């Protein structure tokens, strides 16, 4: 079952859009990993290993939404913990839409 359990926002330059990653890991688990200097985080990716972008793949209706394209894989990414601005809890079921 594909489920997004946390949304991670990374540090960015003022002129750039923030990089947002979607993870099957719980936000509480990510918070504990951020205590280390290097955080190992599982994130959803497309077939070509580029980061999955839920905002680009979602179509909103009047009372619902449809996810047009689902992520194919999950990869472990290592990053400096200080570059993580926010790890937000989420509960998005990708298979149910």
């Amino acid at each position: 079952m594909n489920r997004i359990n946390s949304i991670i926002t990374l540090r960015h330059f003022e002129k750039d859009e923030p990089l947002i990653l979607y993870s099957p890991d719980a936000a509480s688990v990510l918070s504990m990993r951020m205590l280390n200097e290097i955080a190992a985080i599982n994130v959803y990716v497309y077939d070509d290993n580029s980061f999955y972008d839920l905002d680009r793949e979602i179509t909103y209706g009047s009372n619902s939404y449809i996810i047009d394209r689902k992520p194919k894989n999950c990869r472990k990414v290592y990053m400096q913990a200080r570059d993580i601005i926010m790890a937000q809890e989420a509960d998005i079921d990708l298979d149910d839409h």
Side-chain angles (χ1 to χ4, degrees), residues 49-61:
N49 287 330
S50 61
F51 294 124
Y52 182 71
D53 186 3
L54 181 65
D55 290 336
R56 190 174 73 190
E57 303 299 341
I58 200 163
T59 303
Y60 293 98

Side-chain angles (χ1 to χ4, degrees), residues 45-92:
V45 295
Y46 292 111
D47 286 335
D48 62 355
N49 287 330
S50 61
F51 294 124
Y52 182 71
D53 186 3
L54 181 65
D55 290 336
R56 190 174 73 190
E57 303 299 341
I58 200 163
T59 303
Y60 293 98
S62 58
N63 292 326
S64 64
Y65 60 91
I66 298 170
I67 298 174
D68 300 322
R69 187 170 158 203
K70 295 172 178 55
K72 296 294 182 191
N73 297 315
C74 189
R75 296 278 187 253
K76 186 168 291 238
V77 176
Y78 297 91
M79 62 185 66
Q80 291 190 1
R82 67 174 180 240
D83 288 339
I84 300 172
I85 295 173
M86 178 176 56
Q88 182 179 7
E89 254 183 77
D91 185 20
I92 303 169

Side-chain angles (χ1 to χ4, degrees), residues 1-17:
M1 176 189 317
N2 288 330
R3 181 176 289 280
I4 295 174
N5 291 319
S6 60
I7 301 170
I8 304 153
T9 305
L10 299 180
R11 184 185 310 201
H12 63 285
F13 295 105
E14 283 185 28
K15 62 184 175 186
D16 297 334
E17 291 291 321

Side-chain angles (χ1 to χ4, degrees), residues 27-36:
S28 59
V29 172
L30 294 176
S31 297
M32 293 304 294
R33 291 183 187 157
M34 287 169 55
L35 295 175
N36 299 328

